[in-house]
Amino acid sequence: MVDQPHRPIGKSALQLVLATSEEQEALVETIESAGYQTCLGKTGSMELQKVVSAIETAAKRQGLIDQSLYREMHALYHAILEAVQGVTRGQAQLGDVMRTVGLKFVIVRGIAYENQAEGEWIAVALYGTIGAPVRGLEHETAGLGINHI
Amino acid sequence: MVDQPHRPIGKSALQLVLATSEEQEALVETIESAGYQTCLGKTGSMELQKVVSAIETAAKRQGLIDQSLYREMHALYHAILEAVQGVTRGQAQLGDVMRTVGLKFVIVRGIAYENQAEGEWIAVALYGTIGAPVRGLEHETAGLGINHI
Amino acid sequence: MVDQPHRPIGKSALQLVLATSEEQEALVETIESAGYQTCLGKTGSMELQKVVSAIETAAKRQGLIDQSLYREMHALYHAILEAVQGVTRGQAQLGDVMRTVGLKFVIVRGIAYENQAEGEWIAVALYGTIGAPVRGLEHETAGLGINHI
Amino acid sequence: MVDQPHRPIGKSALQLVLATSEEQEALVETIESAGYQTCLGKTGSMELQKVVSAIETAAKRQGLIDQSLYREMHALYHAILEAVQGVTRGQAQLGDVMRTVGLKFVIVRGIAYENQAEGEWIAVALYGTIGAPVRGLEHETAGLGINHI
Amino acid sequence: MVDQPHRPIGKSALQLVLATSEEQEALVETIESAGYQTCLGKTGSMELQKVVSAIETAAKRQGLIDQSLYREMHALYHAILEAVQGVTRGQAQLGDVMRTVGLKFVIVRGIAYENQAEGEWIAVALYGTIGAPVRGLEHETAGLGINHI
Amino acid sequence: MVDQPHRPIGKSALQLVLATSEEQEALVETIESAGYQTCLGKTGSMELQKVVSAIETAAKRQGLIDQSLYREMHALYHAILEAVQGVTRGQAQLGDVMRTVGLKFVIVRGIAYENQAEGEWIAVALYGTIGAPVRGLEHETAGLGINHI
């Protein structure tokens, strides 16, 4: 039977992206002891391209995905784009519509369902601010993308 | 100067929507002691209309917004739609594209910036599952919408 | 050389859809004396389908388009959808996202460029209110679609 | 009770953006005597960013919004984006899809409902041409965005 | 090295969905001898939900995907939605915007890259007509979605 | 009565865009003997603007459309954008979301319905690859746009 595990992959990614730097270490340990791999980073830009690229690069460098396999890159790419939809809410655009983001990102990868045959999944969580390219003229934003890998 | 407060409104909403039922009470207290009002609920449907309606109804019933003022309804409505974008990631549709959601929702309202002149803001956070209308054929999803009120 | 005529087709449609019932008759005369055909109507619904259908039916009944020719129906249809984008601003949806419209519509058809070889064009203008299905909880909305026919 | 005033804010903005330079002065006077503030300008670009920026700058320079308050910038920004949806009809993009705009813009701000508790609202109306970056290969376009402020 | 195979999966799906009933049998044989599984069907509706459902049901009945595995359903679902984007071109909607489709669909599954480690992929091709719910008032439409499985 | 001709315009365009260089010549002949004009080309870019531009330029150079008539450019432009929707599936963006395309394109123009009064139509078919700007990290993609001219 297909069931959510004790520690859901999306919730893990969201909790980690919301964590303070003090909370991070313990939370990473908890999530990794549930069998997941994790990867954290920061990115900020008026160019969406740089946001996508920063997350992809972190995932490759920290070994979360195997960049020689297109299927892994493809799974990650669509998870990123889905998380970006939550951040941009309707138009996957930043500078083109005169706004910028400052984001923390978390990628979590692993067995996400009790049925082992479901294989590995990947979650991308984003949290930070979006707004005008002027300090203070911004509010919070978040997104979550999930894909099978 | 315009600055994020110690307890950001969007993070508060996301943490509360991710909280277990044991964690909820204490967290509500913490958030409310920071000057916010909160409202929690659950909704699940293949009809997006029912999701929007459930959140609006909870906000009105629990007194989070004044339903006799259109400007409050308007602020809440757009915050809900933005959160829905994160949940649906590209097409604000459920049954029309053969999928259903089961969601927890949290609404947080209050002064969100140190500069009191910024007035009140509203945050809507959603977290739950999205997938085929078959138990288990679903993954997690989340969304956050923020608006001035 | 391709130039805008003295009376642009889109502006004519917008002015007519904004006109009060007292102003309408004289404005229709002015627009028609510039060589255009016009058609006016009202529609209101939570179902987008009924809005599209009401405009198509009016255009056919008042002879603004020849319903036996698919190319005319196709030109009108896309002009309607483009006007609807202005009304719905991002999601071409009404009841699905818990909102309703009350709209006046105007269709204008005719030679829109000084170069006669540009042939006939069609403009669809919409103006009215959009909001919650509760009287008063609504604001104005408008849209303009233009296509060659 | 919540009711439309004698002079609706959106209609005022649309009428002013459609007005000829001869009609403008009298119309501005009529609209301002109804208690609204107004702001007019022109912008043209293949870059959507410049369109958004031109409208924001005009609003700030002419004192229609208080740029030190994020809530005012936020309200204006979303009204602009909604008006842009009407102009671009489906893809909030210009040069990326090989098209350019030449637009007049009008911003109107003030009490828009009889119930004073509804407070101030802002309307952004756009009217002009959209098309290929070649003179004459273009047709009219319009958009209206409205938000509480 | 990652390379396209001699018989690309997407092209195979498109050729098969375009094939006449006389050409179908031989083409299926050619595609299957390249190591792919195939599945064909027809669907027509004003409800997008029924289109998605018809393709999912055919894939399950003909054993192209294992319906007990969510990851397979998830891969197919997103491939269907991507193909639907090509068919609907901008708004994944049918009856809501007063149009209907009559479609042939083809699903192809198998090893799509020379590097066996890339594993299996799935392609969904759609071809048919879209238009008003009146015979003859329609034109052709097509879509292709591809996903790793 | 309005009916599909023996050789549908959209299917002709799709078959030609899928044809190998050996098959092309004979297929062009068959399509042109059915009364259509055809135009083929290749384009590849991370900038959507260059893709649109390459197709427009080919259509003008090869005389498929009369560039002095805006109505012809307008018909072609919207057919291109619709085909691009199939290629990009949800976001008409390339480099902005960190992806690139390599595409073959085919334009077909002519009488597409048995009823001669339906006049000329234009079809744009695209086929190729989309993916990361790294060789091999890509999959196939296709799109079809059709418009009256």
Side-chain angles (χ1 to χ4, degrees):
Chain A
M1 195 190 157
V2 182
D3 252 333
Q4 294 289 337
H6 296 300
R7 177 155 274 283
I9 188 169
K11 188 173 174 177
S12 299
L14 284 168
Q15 285 175 323
L16 192 49
V17 87
L18 293 173
T20 61
S21 42
E22 296 80 50
E23 297 162 344
Q24 245 172 42
E25 199 180 337
L27 191 52
V28 165
E29 208 170 303
T30 310
I31 294 170
E32 297 196 340
S33 72
Y36 293 115
Q37 289 174 273
T38 64
C39 159
L40 294 89
K42 282 187 186 184
T43 177
S45 182
M46 280 193 83
E47 291 172 52
L48 190 47
Q49 183 170 350
K50 289 193 180 159
V51 173
V52 175
S53 186
I55 304 172
E56 288 185 342
T57 301
K60 289 187 278 189
R61 289 231 179 107
Q62 301 184 33
L64 224 79
I65 61 158
D66 178 350
Q67 65 182 293
S68 71
L69 282 184
Y70 177 45
R71 64 182 292 115
E72 299 216 344
M73 291 297 288
H74 188 251
L76 172 64
Y77 179 74
H78 283 276
I80 294 171
L81 278 206
E82 294 197 356
V84 163
Q85 296 277 358
V87 164
T88 56
R89 290 147 297 129
Q91 303 291 126
Q93 293 172 300
L94 298 178
D96 289 341
V97 289
M98 200 64 196
R99 60 184 177 181
T100 190
V101 288
L103 295 171
K104 283 173 62 187
F105 62 84
V106 164
I107 316 172
V108 177
R109 174 185 179 156
I111 304 288
Y113 293 86
E114 296 215 340
N115 180 353
Q116 296 277 322
E118 289 296 352
E120 284 187 301
W121 290 68
I122 195 160
V124 173
L126 305 173
Y127 169 73
T129 55
I130 191 165
V134 176
R135 196 170 130 53
L137 301 191
E138 67 213 2
H139 60 63
E140 294 159 271
T141 188
L144 175 66
I146 292 187
N147 208 353
H148 62 284
I149 205 163
Chain B
M1 194 189 157
V2 182
D3 253 333
Q4 293 289 336
H6 296 300
R7 178 155 276 283
I9 189 170
K11 187 173 175 178
S12 299
L14 283 168
Q15 286 176 322
L16 192 48
V17 86
L18 292 173
T20 61
S21 41
E22 296 81 49
E23 298 162 343
Q24 244 173 44
E25 201 180 334
L27 190 53
V28 164
E29 210 170 300
T30 310
I31 294 170
E32 298 196 340
S33 71
Y36 293 116
Q37 289 174 274
T38 63
C39 160
L40 294 89
K42 283 187 186 184
T43 177
S45 182
M46 279 192 83
E47 292 174 50
L48 189 47
Q49 185 170 350
K50 289 193 180 160
V51 172
V52 175
S53 186
I55 304 172
E56 288 186 342
T57 301
K60 289 188 277 189
R61 289 231 179 108
Q62 301 185 33
L64 223 80
I65 61 158
D66 178 349
Q67 65 182 293
S68 71
L69 283 183
Y70 176 45
R71 65 182 292 115
E72 299 217 343
M73 291 296 289
H74 187 251
L76 172 64
Y77 179 75
H78 283 277
I80 294 171
L81 278 206
E82 295 198 353
V84 162
Q85 297 277 358
V87 164
T88 56
R89 290 148 296 128
Q91 303 292 126
Q93 294 173 300
L94 298 178
D96 289 343
V97 287
M98 200 64 196
R99 59 184 179 181
T100 190
V101 287
L103 295 170
K104 285 173 63 187
F105 62 83
V106 164
I107 316 172
V108 177
R109 175 187 178 153
I111 304 288
Y113 293 86
E114 295 214 342
N115 180 353
Q116 296 279 321
E118 290 295 352
E120 284 188 300
W121 290 68
I122 195 161
V124 174
L126 305 174
Y127 169 73
T129 55
I130 191 164
V134 175
R135 194 170 132 53
L137 302 190
E138 67 213 3
H139 60 62
E140 294 159 270
T141 189
L144 175 66
I146 292 187
N147 208 353
H148 62 283
I149 205 163
Chain C
M1 196 191 157
V2 182
D3 253 333
Q4 292 288 336
H6 296 300
R7 178 155 273 283
I9 190 170
K11 188 174 175 177
S12 299
L14 283 168
Q15 285 175 322
L16 193 48
V17 87
L18 292 173
T20 61
S21 42
E22 296 80 49
E23 298 162 343
Q24 245 173 42
E25 200 179 336
L27 191 53
V28 164
E29 210 170 301
T30 310
I31 294 169
E32 297 197 339
S33 71
Y36 293 115
Q37 287 174 273
T38 63
C39 159
L40 295 89
K42 283 187 185 183
T43 178
S45 182
M46 279 193 83
E47 291 173 52
L48 190 48
Q49 183 171 350
K50 289 192 180 160
V51 173
V52 175
S53 185
I55 304 172
E56 288 185 342
T57 301
K60 289 188 277 189
R61 289 231 179 108
Q62 300 185 34
L64 224 80
I65 61 157
D66 178 350
Q67 66 181 291
S68 72
L69 282 183
Y70 176 45
R71 65 181 291 115
E72 299 216 344
M73 291 296 290
H74 188 251
L76 172 64
Y77 179 75
H78 283 277
I80 294 172
L81 278 206
E82 294 197 355
V84 163
Q85 298 276 358
V87 164
T88 56
R89 290 147 296 129
Q91 302 292 125
Q93 293 173 300
L94 297 178
D96 289 343
V97 286
M98 200 63 196
R99 60 185 179 181
T100 189
V101 288
L103 295 170
K104 284 173 63 187
F105 62 83
V106 165
I107 317 173
V108 177
R109 174 185 179 155
I111 304 289
Y113 293 86
E114 296 214 340
N115 180 353
Q116 296 279 321
E118 289 295 351
E120 284 188 301
W121 290 68
I122 196 160
V124 174
L126 305 174
Y127 170 72
T129 54
I130 193 165
V134 175
R135 195 171 130 53
L137 300 190
E138 67 215 2
H139 61 63
E140 295 159 271
T141 189
L144 176 66
I146 292 187
N147 208 352
H148 62 284
I149 204 163
Chain D
M1 195 189 157
V2 182
D3 252 334
Q4 293 289 335
H6 296 300
R7 178 155 276 283
I9 190 170
K11 188 174 175 176
S12 299
L14 283 169
Q15 286 176 322
L16 193 49
V17 87
L18 292 173
T20 61
S21 42
E22 296 81 48
E23 297 162 343
Q24 244 173 44
E25 200 181 334
L27 191 52
V28 164
E29 209 170 301
T30 311
I31 294 169
E32 297 197 339
S33 71
Y36 292 116
Q37 289 173 273
T38 64
C39 160
L40 295 87
K42 282 186 186 184
T43 177
S45 182
M46 279 193 83
E47 291 173 51
L48 189 48
Q49 184 171 349
K50 290 193 179 159
V51 173
V52 174
S53 185
I55 304 172
E56 288 185 341
T57 302
K60 288 188 278 190
R61 289 230 178 109
Q62 301 185 32
L64 224 79
I65 61 159
D66 178 350
Q67 65 182 294
S68 71
L69 282 183
Y70 176 45
R71 63 182 293 115
E72 299 218 343
M73 292 297 288
H74 188 251
L76 172 64
Y77 179 74
H78 282 277
I80 294 172
L81 277 206
E82 295 198 354
V84 163
Q85 297 277 358
V87 164
T88 55
R89 290 147 296 128
Q91 303 292 127
Q93 293 172 300
L94 297 178
D96 289 343
V97 288
M98 200 62 196
R99 59 185 180 181
T100 190
V101 288
L103 295 171
K104 285 173 60 187
F105 62 82
V106 165
I107 317 173
V108 177
R109 175 186 178 154
I111 305 288
Y113 293 86
E114 296 214 341
N115 180 353
Q116 297 278 322
E118 290 295 352
E120 285 187 300
W121 290 68
I122 196 159
V124 174
L126 304 174
Y127 170 74
T129 55
I130 191 164
V134 176
R135 195 170 131 53
L137 301 191
E138 66 213 3
H139 60 62
E140 295 159 270
T141 188
L144 175 66
I146 292 187
N147 208 352
H148 62 283
I149 205 164
Chain E
M1 194 188 158
V2 181
D3 252 334
Q4 293 290 334
H6 295 299
R7 176 155 276 283
I9 189 169
K11 187 172 176 178
S12 298
L14 283 169
Q15 285 176 322
L16 192 49
V17 87
L18 292 173
T20 60
S21 41
E22 296 81 49
E23 298 162 344
Q24 244 174 43
E25 200 180 334
L27 191 53
V28 164
E29 210 170 300
T30 310
I31 295 170
E32 297 196 339
S33 71
Y36 293 116
Q37 288 173 275
T38 63
C39 159
L40 295 87
K42 283 187 184 182
T43 177
S45 182
M46 280 193 81
E47 291 173 52
L48 190 48
Q49 184 170 352
K50 289 192 179 161
V51 172
V52 175
S53 186
I55 304 172
E56 289 186 341
T57 302
K60 289 188 277 190
R61 289 230 179 110
Q62 301 185 33
L64 224 80
I65 60 158
D66 178 349
Q67 65 181 292
S68 72
L69 283 183
Y70 176 45
R71 64 182 291 115
E72 299 216 345
M73 290 298 287
H74 188 250
L76 172 64
Y77 179 75
H78 282 277
I80 294 171
L81 277 207
E82 295 197 355
V84 162
Q85 296 277 359
V87 164
T88 56
R89 290 148 296 128
Q91 302 294 124
Q93 293 173 300
L94 298 178
D96 288 342
V97 288
M98 201 62 195
R99 60 184 178 180
T100 190
V101 287
L103 295 170
K104 284 172 65 187
F105 61 83
V106 164
I107 317 172
V108 177
R109 174 185 179 155
I111 303 289
Y113 293 86
E114 294 214 342
N115 180 352
Q116 296 278 321
E118 290 295 352
E120 284 188 301
W121 290 68
I122 195 160
V124 173
L126 304 174
Y127 169 73
T129 56
I130 191 165
V134 175
R135 196 170 132 51
L137 301 189
E138 67 213 2
H139 60 62
E140 295 159 271
T141 189
L144 176 66
I146 292 187
N147 208 353
H148 62 283
I149 205 163
Chain F
M1 193 188 158
V2 182
D3 254 332
Q4 293 288 336
H6 296 299
R7 177 155 274 285
I9 188 169
K11 187 173 174 177
S12 299
L14 283 169
Q15 286 175 322
L16 193 48
V17 87
L18 292 173
T20 60
S21 41
E22 296 81 48
E23 297 162 344
Q24 245 173 41
E25 200 180 334
L27 191 52
V28 165
E29 209 170 302
T30 310
I31 294 169
E32 297 196 340
S33 71
Y36 292 115
Q37 289 174 273
T38 64
C39 160
L40 295 87
K42 284 187 185 182
T43 178
S45 182
M46 278 193 84
E47 291 173 53
L48 189 48
Q49 185 170 349
K50 290 193 178 161
V51 172
V52 175
S53 187
I55 304 172
E56 288 186 342
T57 301
K60 289 188 278 190
R61 289 229 179 111
Q62 302 185 31
L64 224 79
I65 62 158
D66 178 349
Q67 66 181 291
S68 72
L69 283 183
Y70 176 45
R71 64 182 293 114
E72 298 217 345
M73 291 297 288
H74 188 250
L76 172 64
Y77 179 74
H78 282 276
I80 293 171
L81 277 207
E82 295 197 355
V84 163
Q85 297 277 358
V87 164
T88 55
R89 289 147 299 128
Q91 302 293 126
Q93 294 172 301
L94 297 179
D96 289 343
V97 287
M98 202 60 196
R99 60 185 178 180
T100 190
V101 287
L103 295 171
K104 284 171 63 186
F105 61 83
V106 164
I107 317 173
V108 177
R109 175 186 178 154
I111 304 288
Y113 294 85
E114 294 214 343
N115 180 352
Q116 296 278 322
E118 290 295 352
E120 284 188 300
W121 289 69
I122 195 161
V124 173
L126 304 174
Y127 170 73
T129 55
I130 192 164
V134 175
R135 194 169 133 52
L137 301 191
E138 66 215 1
H139 61 62
E140 296 159 271
T141 189
L144 176 66
I146 292 186
N147 208 353
H148 62 282
I149 205 163

